[in-house]
Amino acid sequence: MTDARTTAATYFDAWKARDFVRLRSVLADDVGFEGPLASVKGGDDCLRGLRGMAQIMTGLDVRKVFQDGADVLTWFDLSTSVAELVPVANWMHVEDGKVTQIKVAFDARGIAGGSN
């Protein structure tokens, strides 16, 4: 059984590398995603959103990871082509090596407005 922290690391490594096949492999088919820019249900819809964010992502720097059993909280800096550096808190729940829930919190004003 894959540990939740390892699954979270795979998620971020694959997203940063734009390896969407690998990224999809750690998303449960019924994963729920909630964040300031979207709320979606399902692995394919979640992947579509992550793929869209990757189009403007110029960097992703994981600063800290906290694990409590099946829950992983990751604090990271997201660099984009449309906004200043965005600090992000990402909570995910992992079951059987798959991410089943994701909630992110960040100030989306720069990204949503598309200005630096």
Side-chain angles (χ1 to χ4, degrees):
M1 177 191 262
T2 304
D3 151 276
R5 188 180 187 115
T6 301
T7 300
T10 299
Y11 169 95
F12 284 104
D13 291 344
W15 188 28
K16 186 175 180 179
R18 292 169 171 78
D19 183 347
F20 298 110
V21 171
R22 188 166 157 231
L23 181 54
R24 179 62 177 92
S25 76
V26 296
L27 297 175
D29 289 339
D30 62 347
V31 62
F33 177 93
E34 293 179 36
L37 298 175
S39 293
V40 298
K41 184 77 169 173
D44 294 337
D45 287 339
C46 183
L47 184 65
R48 197 171 359 270
L50 292 166
R51 201 184 275 265
M53 186 63 84
Q55 291 179 353
I56 62 166
M57 181 174 67
T58 59
L60 190 156
D61 188 16
V62 172
R63 297 294 185 176
K64 196 70 177 170
V65 179
F66 303 93
Q67 180 184 1
D68 181 17
D71 296 311
V72 180
L73 179 66
T74 305
W75 180 265
F76 66 96
D77 291 332
L78 180 67
S79 300
T80 74
S81 59
V82 299
E84 297 293 325
L85 186 73
V86 180
V88 180
N90 176 299
W91 168 81
M92 61 179 59
H93 183 77
V94 177
E95 294 177 14
D96 299 323
K98 301 279 187 180
V99 178
T100 61
Q101 294 179 33
I102 304 168
K103 291 187 181 185
V104 297
F106 61 92
D107 182 348
R109 289 176 292 184
I111 293 173
S115 62
N116 285 330

